Amino acid sequence: MKKHVIYLLAMVMVLAYGCKKEESFELGNTPSEGSLQSDVTGDCLPKTVNGVYVATTPLIPATNTITIQVNVTRTGTYLITTDTVNGYFFRGTGTFTTLGNNNVTLRSNGTPFINGTDNFVVSFNGTICDIAVDVLPAGAGGPATFTLVNGGGPPANCASAVVGGTYIMGTALNGSNYVDIQVNVTAIGTYSITATGGGMTFSKLTAAFLAPGVQTVRLDGSGTPTGPAGPVTVTFAAPFASCSFTVPVTGPAVYTINCPGATAQGSYQVGVALTAGNTVTIPITVTTAGAYSISGTINGMTFSNSGNLTLATTQIILNPTIPGSIPTAAAAPTSNLVVGTPACSIPITVAPAAGPATYTINCPNVTVQGSYQVGVPLTAANTITIPVTVTSAGSYNLSGTINGMTFSNSGNLTLATTQIILNPTLPSTPTAAASPISNLSIGSPACIIPITVAPAPVIEWSFTVTGPGGATYSGATSDVIGVDDLVVTPFTYKIVDYWGEYGGTPDLFNITFGDPAGGAFTAGETYNSNVATLGVNLGYFYFDGLPGIELEATDPSTTPGVNIIFTITSHNTTTKTIIGTFAGTAFDYVSSTNKTITGGTFKIVYPN
């Protein structure tokens, strides 16, 4: 009973961290943008659930995870969360560095109360999708016993397979590709089912049957069909290797290009990025329906498309790669885009680079975006918007430097351009001389732009991670929850909960102390993060390095084998100030290894 209670106390600390962390993360300076990917039913893609979930058994964050997919339209930091269902939730943080579809793994936190199927709603950037997690009854975490249900054969025991989706040779499977099979469960528990063939895999990994009897299992498809075209045999892994089903695979399309009729749409100029209006239309004659993929690159411009052709298809439209397609000087006056086999050469007329633009700056209406602080590196959010009036279209190059900060941009202006946005050169860090005002000089005649820069941050906590990839981290106070009582019969704990900011983002550093004795937090006392005994001093440690490191040390059921020891060096009850040191080991969720922490210091000024 005591062990259960002490874990409950630690869980209170963890849940307090989880709720507050989600609330404050969105204050980051460079948030990403995008949307969660889902199938037609609203289920998340690839809707992968990892680990075994058993009622009353604490989840392991590194093992009990879910994997979802995000279509990233703007790179930057992200926070992806679920709601809390049945005593646990999932959460993931990090940075997107690549546009397009990215798979993200969300770690679990908490303990399932009861068995059953828990339906979670995943949220990101105003979009949602659903994912279901099966929880076994307490003590039922072993393997299930089941057989595949014969669909009438032959061959025998072929699982009544129903194939969904379209399968094209050379085209990777996606969320629309699946196989539904029938199973007869005689003992509940965990299971994994896999079937492979022709370059394709259909699987359901580390799931659970919650009830006996005949039921349907959906196996998600992955891989790329290798052919040949026609029915491809897919065979189950042992112990069901006698069972197989077929998947209809379509071969590649056969077509000819009407090269003289190919045309390029839109306008093209050296140094001007292509837009969605810059397309290439290729007339074709299809003799065999099937899949196609065609692309070409010339002088900084890339065009491509892929999909399926029918006998009625008369043209292919190639789209530009955006961003990333900018005609180079070598393109003028004509770029010959080569596509297809045999090669079709398509002329694209590219205008020369524009001469210098003529424009005036509306200096009084210049605005500065983002926050600025001495010693804190700028981010992509630190921009300057400069209203302009263009009298002659052409190129521009505008830049300025002040007190460690450099802003610049270049490109082409049209008569319709109304503003120029200057971006920071990264890394740029305001120096001490910048406070409180930096006057950035831009343009000719000079426009003086005042940038308000806050003083250097106050350091109220610090620690060093030693070993490979180690670094020193420090920051100031974000919030302190005062000395409160928490009753865990027969003890009354004095609890102080401290939150610190890191890199300008609040609540990325958290330490919590629990003292069951009178005269709490006195000089010389120590508080350990990994304890399993009621009635002793408790500690909790968390740090999110956003995104390269994420450390935690708490009760042994959550982060076994690591421990942070906090030592109180002074406690002034008049000024309500607790000062101390800490060191030890913490678990890093990013690298899944233990990290050594040295030289930790903290100063807590509590409100009551």
Side-chain angles (χ1 to χ4, degrees), residues 193-222:
I193 302 175
T194 301
T196 58
M200 299 172 287
T201 298
F202 297 87
S203 61
K204 183 73 171 181
L205 303 177
T206 321
F209 291 124
L210 304 183
V214 175
Q215 47 203 280
T216 300
V217 176
R218 174 157 294 186
L219 309 182
D220 298 315
S222 61

Side-chain angles (χ1 to χ4, degrees), residues 241-281:
S242 62
C243 177
S244 63
F245 57 90
T246 59
V247 174
V249 176
T250 303
V254 178
Y255 61 95
T256 56
I257 295 177
N258 177 12
C259 196
T263 57
Q265 289 74 47
S267 59
Y268 299 80
Q269 185 175 28
V270 172
V272 179
L274 302 191
T275 69
N278 296 107
T279 59
V280 177
T281 300

Side-chain angles (χ1 to χ4, degrees), residues 126-152:
T127 64
I128 61 173
C129 64
D130 304 320
I131 193 164
V133 178
D134 293 331
V135 179
L136 289 164
T145 302
F146 65 98
T147 58
L148 304 181
V149 176
N150 183 20

Side-chain angles (χ1 to χ4, degrees), residues 297-313:
T297 298
I298 187 69
N299 295 327
M301 302 177 290
T302 297
F303 300 84
S304 63
N305 210 340
S306 61
N308 297 308
L309 302 178
T310 69
L311 294 176
T313 305

Side-chain angles (χ1 to χ4, degrees), residues 42-134:
D43 287 344
C44 302
L45 294 176
K47 57 184 177 185
T48 303
V49 179
N50 305 301
V52 179
Y53 299 76
V54 181
T56 72
T57 298
L59 301 182
I60 302 173
T63 303
N64 296 105
T65 63
I66 59 175
T67 302
I68 51 88
Q69 190 174 87
V70 178
N71 182 19
V72 179
T73 57
R74 173 184 172 182
T75 59
T77 58
Y78 66 83
L79 168 67
I80 304 175
T81 62
T82 71
D83 50 350
T84 298
V85 179
N86 192 23
Y88 65 107
F89 63 92
F90 297 87
R91 177 180 178 278
T93 67
T95 300
F96 289 124
T97 59
T98 305
L99 297 175
N101 287 336
N102 287 252
N103 282 353
V104 179
T105 297
L106 310 185
R107 291 190 295 273
S108 62
N109 204 317
T111 302
F113 296 143
I114 60 175
N115 61 290
T117 298
D118 298 328
N119 294 299
F120 289 88
V121 177
V122 184
S123 302
F124 170 70
N125 199 211
T127 64
I128 61 173
C129 64
D130 304 320
I131 193 164
V133 178
D134 293 331

